[in-house]
């Protein structure tokens, strides 16, 4: 088993990968988290790296990043192209075959990953990056944006897995949790 790679200071992160929902009918607190995260990425001259859909929270995040002056990298699986769901906010498109390929490209192109509210796909993406860090393949920092307690149950699950001896504490060095945009911004200062 490889030893965990050291994490670099978050203040050095320029390309912010974001995992989040592509749904629209969600609580306002989730929309606010996406908008504020996009505003912060753009305002600080960083680049958003995300799933490339012109739907829901994804599109809101991209629109706010661009409006605030940031660049947008979209990692677009073939199915989004076929369905005409690729955002027009994207500056650089990374075409990929499927969701697994998208995860790989998104992780490769990002310095840090922020996890906003999302569903099964977002949870899959989160666990993929934590798993690669656990075995020492890629130890990218992960920030869980727990807007309105969205991730409370997931955090309880992680605590339970650790308590039962099914996960060691190593992932804790990779994972940070914030509740609002002010806490997110302060992590990167």
């Amino acid at each position: 088993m490889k030893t965990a790679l050291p994490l670099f200071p978050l203040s050095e992160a320029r390309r912010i990968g974001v995992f989040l929902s592509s749904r629209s009918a969600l609580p306002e607190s989730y929309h606010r988290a996406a908008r504020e995260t996009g505003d912060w990425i753009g305002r600080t001259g960083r680049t958003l790296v995300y799933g490339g859909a012109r739907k829901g929270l994804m599109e809101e995040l991209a629109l706010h990043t661009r409006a605030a002056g940031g660049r947008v990298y979209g990692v677009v699986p073939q199915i989004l192209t076929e369905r005409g769901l690729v955002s027009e906010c994207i500056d650089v498109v990374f075409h990929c075959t499927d969701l697994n390929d998208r995860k790989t490209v998104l992780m490769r192109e990002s310095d840090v990953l922020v996890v906003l509210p999302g569903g099964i796909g977002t949870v899959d993406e989160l666990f993929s990056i934590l798993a690669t860090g656990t075995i020492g393949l890629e130890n990218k920092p992960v920030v869980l944006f727990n807007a309105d307690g969205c991730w409370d149950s997931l955090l309880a699950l992680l605590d339970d897995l650790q308590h039962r001896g099914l996960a060691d504490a190593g992932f804790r060095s990779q994972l940070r949790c914030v509740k609002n945009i002010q806490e997110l911004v302060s992590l990167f200062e």
Side-chain angles (χ1 to χ4, degrees), residues 9-64:
L10 292 179
S11 61
E12 295 177 17
R14 304 311 307 155
R15 293 176 299 170
I16 312 299
V18 180
F19 298 136
L20 73 165
S21 179
S22 64
R23 293 181 183 233
S24 294
L26 297 170
E28 171 56 26
S29 58
Y30 299 176
H31 288 276
R32 183 173 51 252
R35 290 190 305 266
E36 291 174 343
T37 300
D39 290 340
W40 165 74
I41 291 170
R43 185 176 63 250
T44 58
R46 290 180 163 94
T47 298
L48 166 65
V49 184
Y50 83 121
R54 65 171 171 84
K55 294 175 54 186
L57 297 183
M58 282 193 186
E59 182 71 348
E60 232 172 321
L61 173 71
L63 286 168
H64 279 259

Side-chain angles (χ1 to χ4, degrees), residues 25 34 56 71 80 101 107 114-116 121 152 168:
R71 288 183 48 88
L80 286 184
D101 192 24
M107 287 187 266
V114 175
V115 183
L116 289 169
D152 285 351
D168 63 32

Side-chain angles (χ1 to χ4, degrees), residues 143-160:
V143 180
L144 196 62
F145 195 132
N146 193 18
D148 204 20
C150 173
W151 298 118
D152 285 351
S153 296
L154 184 130
L155 290 166
L157 170 65
L158 290 172
D159 287 342
D160 188 54

Side-chain angles (χ1 to χ4, degrees), residues 130-152:
L130 290 178
T132 59
T134 299
I135 62 172
L137 288 176
E138 182 127 27
N139 199 21
K140 299 239 176 159
V142 179
V143 180
L144 196 62
F145 195 132
N146 193 18
D148 204 20
C150 173
W151 298 118
D152 285 351

